[in-house]
Amino acid sequence: QVQLVESGGGLVQSGGSLRLSCVASGSFQRIGVMGWYRQVPGKERDLVATVTTNGSTQYADSVKGRFTISRDNAKNTMYLQMNNLKPEDTAVYYCYAFIWRTVFSGSSDYWGQGTQVTVSS
């Protein structure tokens, strides 16, 4: 049993900041790459940023320079610091993790429930 629990979403004005958190809990052996995705109704779910176990990061061009992804392996937690938010950042943000559950059950993709981020003009 593995769960990804997100927090930190909300409503902010353009230019404001939010920090999203994602905590992995349950029974698992190791967490691999983690990432944040976002989705607008009627659109595909798009990659925002990823971070490996060792801290290597990748960002979508649309958020580069404004968002920072990080993780605390000791806490099984990933963060997304979002600065200088724009109305076009409005979306449901999803936590993703690739997790090795056990030697017997192998690995799986896991997703959080999503958290709404709304940026007003």
Side-chain angles (χ1 to χ4, degrees), residues 12-68:
V12 298
Q13 292 186 340
S14 180
S17 298
L18 285 173
R19 190 181 76 158
L20 305 183
S21 299
C22 174
V23 181
S25 62
S27 298
F28 55 86
Q29 183 179 22
R30 182 179 180 272
I31 304 175
V33 65
M34 302 183 76
W36 291 96
Y37 290 71
R38 65 186 182 187
Q39 187 171 26
V40 176
K43 301 288 187 178
E44 294 184 345
R45 186 174 297 185
D46 294 327
L47 174 69
V48 176
T50 60
V51 58
T52 68
T53 303
N54 295 327
S56 297
T57 59
Q58 294 282 343
Y59 295 92
D61 289 341
S62 59
V63 306
K64 193 171 296 183
R66 299 187 298 118
F67 292 8
T68 302

Side-chain angles (χ1 to χ4, degrees), residues 33-103:
V33 65
M34 302 183 76
W36 291 96
Y37 290 71
R38 65 186 182 187
Q39 187 171 26
V40 176
K43 301 288 187 178
E44 294 184 345
R45 186 174 297 185
D46 294 327
L47 174 69
V48 176
T50 60
V51 58
T52 68
T53 303
N54 295 327
S56 297
T57 59
Q58 294 282 343
Y59 295 92
D61 289 341
S62 59
V63 306
K64 193 171 296 183
R66 299 187 298 118
F67 292 8
T68 302
I69 189 171
S70 61
R71 64 192 289 171
D72 186 333
N73 291 329
K75 297 180 178 179
N76 294 323
T77 301
M78 176 182 63
Y79 306 96
L80 184 68
Q81 179 65 48
M82 303 184 293
N83 297 325
N84 192 24
L85 283 161
K86 304 175 180 179
E88 50 263 43
D89 295 319
T90 296
V92 177
Y93 284 70
Y94 295 90
C95 174
Y96 164 84
F98 183 78
I99 297 178
W100 283 271
R101 300 186 303 278
T102 68
V103 174

